[in-house]
Amino acid sequence: MTFRRRATWLSLTLALLLIVLSACGKGGNIAGSSGNKSAKEAADTEKTTLTLLIDNQTAIDGIQAVADEIKRELNIETKIELRPGGTEGDNVVKTRLATSDMADLMFYNSGSLFKALNPQEYFVDLTNEPFMDHVLDSFKDTVSVDGKVYGIPGGSTVGGAWLYNKKIYSELGLSVPKTWDELLANNDKIKEAGYTPVIGSFSDSWTSQLVVLADYYNVHSLAPNFAEDYTYNKAKYATTPEALRSFEKLQSLRDKKHFNDDATATKLEDALAMLAEGKAAHYPILTLVLTNINANYPEMMDDIGAFAQPSDTADVNGLTIWMPGGIYANKEGSKIDAAKKWMEFFVSPEGVKAYLTAMKPEGPMPIKGVELPDDTYSAVKEMLPYFESGKTAPALEFYSPIKGPSLEQITVEVATGISSAAEGAAKYDSDVEKQALQLGLEGW
């Protein structure tokens, strides 16, 4: 095409364009049915895609359900990127942060592991976002540094609770104990009736820690500065009476022979069967096992309840909880506004409803005003009053970065009589020292 012809063609094109624009300006609709298609195509071009990095060990049904709603309601698509779990996954997160290669959103631990990532440098400050008013303060504490909040909860809590068989309790006329002495008295009656009072599943040694770890609400209530003092080597389990008491409670169960005789050979799945089938009355454990019970004994789920590990006085009665991982927005991302809208929807009533429709919670949500579905596990419903009355505290690991690797072996020793409570506490104090030195904490 010559230059003259090209110029003539352009003139005709511009003239037609002016006619079209004039018709549109006068309210004309010359596009007919094709106009709707053009509008849809325009909307599609405005669609935003956010990336979400999450570990491959997390059940993502609930998160995916919310992401699907966000796509429908906000036209924001979520592309999930999987990373390994454990130490390998931690290294992936740290590398991607250091190389400015982080996804728009990241699902990661809350508590001390998150705080060790230097959140101020890498993540968006959510402190003054109105949607953070939906989030419980107890969760905010686990994703805060220097008074600034960086994350929203990515799921439900998990309780460090005593699961109990309600049929046995009803048969023997027992009430949920509010003190440790009341619990021991219940155990004596249960033993006299021919049932196992407390299940020990020490073949899976991690389960032996729960009596010590689930006692942290009581430690925190009676010695509020323990976590900070413990972190900086100003307090010890062996020399802090409120903390030593956690080991003493474990020893008292052994001294009164309240554990099953074959506790060292009993596995987690055996323990769940004993509880569900009504052969044993109590199992101190994380409530995440409710999903396992439901998978194998769905008809018995209403027989399983939950209560907090008692303190020595009824005035102190609350639940130690494990907070869910948090979802954080990349400070260096190019779509921060969209990421905030995504987070706002996630903690909204609509977002929570979508999450709970896809995934049964193993504990209450750390979000205000949540109504749990009717088919929520009975044990989870029994945990709600602790949340509603503010009688919860995150486990020690959410306050302090030091947790000794040998705790589960030490608690097995205390539970089986190899070590006393005092000896176990002292061993654990030594156990955490190496980790504290590796972290470079002050005071060690």
Side-chain angles (χ1 to χ4, degrees), residues 131-190:
F131 61 81
M132 291 305 294
D133 291 341
H134 296 300
V135 181
L136 292 184
D137 289 341
S138 55
F139 177 82
K140 290 180 186 178
D141 289 344
T142 69
V143 292
S144 296
V145 175
D146 295 333
K148 294 184 178 180
V149 187
Y150 294 94
I152 60 170
S156 67
T157 62
V158 170
W162 282 64
L163 299 184
Y164 71 105
N165 188 289
K166 293 194 282 188
K167 280 190 173 180
I168 293 177
Y169 259 58
S170 178
E171 176 189 335
L172 302 180
L174 302 176
S175 299
V176 169
K178 296 291 181 65
T179 70
W180 189 255
D181 284 343
E182 289 175 2
L183 175 60
L184 295 181
N186 281 0
N187 286 344
D188 287 336
K189 293 176 182 177
I190 291 163

Side-chain angles (χ1 to χ4, degrees), residues 60-80:
I60 64 171
D61 299 25
I63 293 174
Q64 185 64 63
V66 183
D68 291 342
E69 284 296 310
I70 290 173
K71 182 179 179 180
R72 279 191 286 269
E73 296 295 327
L74 304 180
N75 206 19
I76 298 175
E77 187 169 0
T78 307
K79 181 181 178 182
I80 293 179

Side-chain angles (χ1 to χ4, degrees), residues 226 235-241 243-244 247 421-429:
F226 177 74
K236 301 285 189 183
Y237 264 95
T239 56
T240 303
L244 175 60
F247 284 89
E423 291 168 340
K427 286 182 179 181
Y428 188 53
D429 287 334

